[in-house]
Amino acid sequence: MSIKPKTIFLDMDGTILSSQNKVSVQTKETIDALRAQGIKVFIATGRAYDEIEAMLPEGFKVDGFITSNGMAGYVDDTPVFEHSLSLGLVEYVIAQARNHEIYYEVFPYGAPRITLKQDQEYVLKEVSEPKPDGVEENEWLSRKKAVNEEIAFREGLEGKGFSKFYFFARTQEKIQKWGDVLQEMKKDTDFTLSKSSNHNLELMVADVNKASGIREMLEHFGLKNEDTLAIGDSDNDLQMFDFVTHSVAMHNAKDHIKDVVDEVTTLSCDENGVSDYLARFIEKTVSHS
């Protein structure tokens, strides 16, 4: 299936981010070239908006950001849509996470992510060295940076609204058991669950995901869902893949992700796989002497 995309949506972790959580200058330049010829490019990530800037090369520009797995969208630093978890749900989930000693971060809009001080001891223990063998390097680096620099350990919750929860566990068994607990909770209060690795889970408002975020962003720009292309690598990209016209998995994606897409990149996230793939859509100018 061939496509000449009008609109492109790019995941971050495992896609435009290397395993060291950086976007390359080459990727920036490829995006610049695509946008210069009128193709709109958006980021569609599970990360919160305030996490992103530190990972980008200087001068990095896109047409908009869909963040927190579709919970919010931004254009030129301005929110164009935001969904929020209720305070009651946030408090209840934290209490349950404490009962099971589950590492959590809750993300208020416009403020640092929060873990309550009473949970700090077991949360820090969950990310103590050495790195468990099954945890990917980029996720481990993110968690270490979070507890050392980014989490505000507070006595209580602060913020006008909350975009998502992020949960992490050293073992797959522990996060799977926590997932079972959350599924039971969903029987009383509906919400969306997503994951980007075998060691994490994220919780958002019901019926919100990357696909719903893309839909809202397209509506904001007055665009139709035609000739749209998305590149990603994880389970939290599956709804996005279903929604767009053409879906592309990274070379480094798991097999069950590659099995459901239209195409797979030749190179991995550590080999500038997105830039290599998207270069085919850059129109070549021919000079005449």
Side-chain angles (χ1 to χ4, degrees):
M1 177 182 178
S2 62
I3 181 175
K4 186 175 182 181
K6 296 177 181 177
T7 313
I8 296 171
F9 299 92
L10 303 174
D11 173 48
M12 290 195 71
D13 289 76
T15 303
I16 65 169
L17 284 181
S18 71
S19 57
Q20 299 301 304
N21 289 330
K22 293 294 182 183
V23 176
S24 71
V25 172
Q26 180 179 328
T27 298
K28 171 203 172 296
E29 292 173 347
T30 299
I31 292 172
D32 288 345
L34 292 168
R35 295 181 70 227
Q37 62 192 48
I39 297 173
K40 290 194 178 298
V41 181
F42 298 89
I43 299 301
T45 179
R47 290 184 179 268
Y49 188 62
D50 63 2
E51 293 183 81
I52 295 172
E53 185 175 1
M55 303 172 176
L56 304 177
E58 185 176 354
F60 182 92
K61 297 287 185 182
V62 289
D63 292 279
F65 291 87
I66 299 159
T67 65
S68 298
N69 291 314
M71 286 288 283
Y74 300 86
V75 175
D76 295 328
D77 289 330
T78 301
V80 295
F81 62 87
E82 287 182 341
H83 302 276
S84 183
L85 299 165
S86 71
L87 179 59
L89 177 60
V90 171
E91 291 175 334
Y92 181 56
V93 171
I94 288 176
Q96 294 301 309
R98 182 177 304 126
N99 289 340
H100 293 82
E101 294 198 346
I102 293 294
Y103 175 112
Y104 71 88
E105 304 167 17
V106 60
F107 288 74
Y109 285 111
R113 68 193 82 173
I114 294 171
T115 302
L116 296 186
K117 276 189 177 179
Q118 61 184 299
D119 303 316
Q120 184 172 2
E121 183 177 355
Y122 80 77
V123 163
L124 293 178
K125 184 178 179 181
E126 198 70 13
V127 293
S128 60
E129 297 288 351
K131 179 182 79 67
D133 289 341
V135 177
E136 297 290 341
E137 184 69 21
N138 67 321
E139 184 166 25
W140 189 248
L141 289 173
S142 292
R143 299 287 61 76
K144 299 295 284 188
K145 184 178 182 183
V147 297
N148 291 323
E149 303 176 23
E150 297 169 337
I151 294 175
F153 290 98
R154 304 290 196 202
E155 295 290 350
L157 291 170
E158 301 174 10
K160 296 179 181 178
F162 304 92
S163 68
K164 69 168 186 173
F165 272 97
Y166 177 93
F167 307 106
F168 172 80
R170 297 179 68 87
T171 68
Q172 292 185 37
E173 181 183 16
K174 186 173 183 178
I175 203 71
Q176 287 168 359
K177 287 182 177 179
W178 175 236
D180 293 339
V181 172
L182 292 173
Q183 289 293 343
E184 282 297 311
M185 291 169 57
K186 275 172 63 70
K187 294 177 181 178
D188 297 320
T189 305
D190 198 16
F191 46 79
T192 294
L193 292 175
S194 182
K195 68 174 185 175
S196 56
S197 83
N198 291 327
H199 290 263
N200 70 46
L201 280 171
E202 294 180 287
L203 186 154
M204 292 78 62
V205 166
D207 301 319
V208 169
N209 51 53
K210 288 188 180 184
S212 67
I214 289 173
R215 185 183 299 109
E216 290 190 84
M217 190 64 78
L218 290 173
E219 288 173 356
H220 173 77
F221 280 90
L223 300 172
K224 295 181 179 179
N225 182 27
E226 57 184 33
D227 300 319
T228 51
L229 182 148
I231 308 179
D233 74 308
S234 298
D235 288 83
N236 67 345
D237 297 315
L238 291 173
Q239 292 96 339
M240 175 173 75
F241 288 155
D242 284 341
F243 183 78
V244 299
T245 308
H246 193 75
S247 56
V248 182
M250 295 298 294
H251 181 79
N252 47 277
K254 297 288 194 298
D255 286 343
H256 74 279
I257 302 294
K258 294 177 180 178
D259 288 343
V260 300
V261 296
D262 299 308
E263 205 170 349
V264 178
T265 66
T266 303
L267 303 178
S268 73
C269 63
D270 284 323
E271 301 168 306
N272 284 311
V274 168
S275 178
D276 175 74
Y277 175 84
L278 292 179
R280 72 184 68 184
F281 303 119
I282 298 173
E283 296 173 359
K284 304 297 189 291
T285 58
V286 180
S287 60
H288 299 278
S289 54

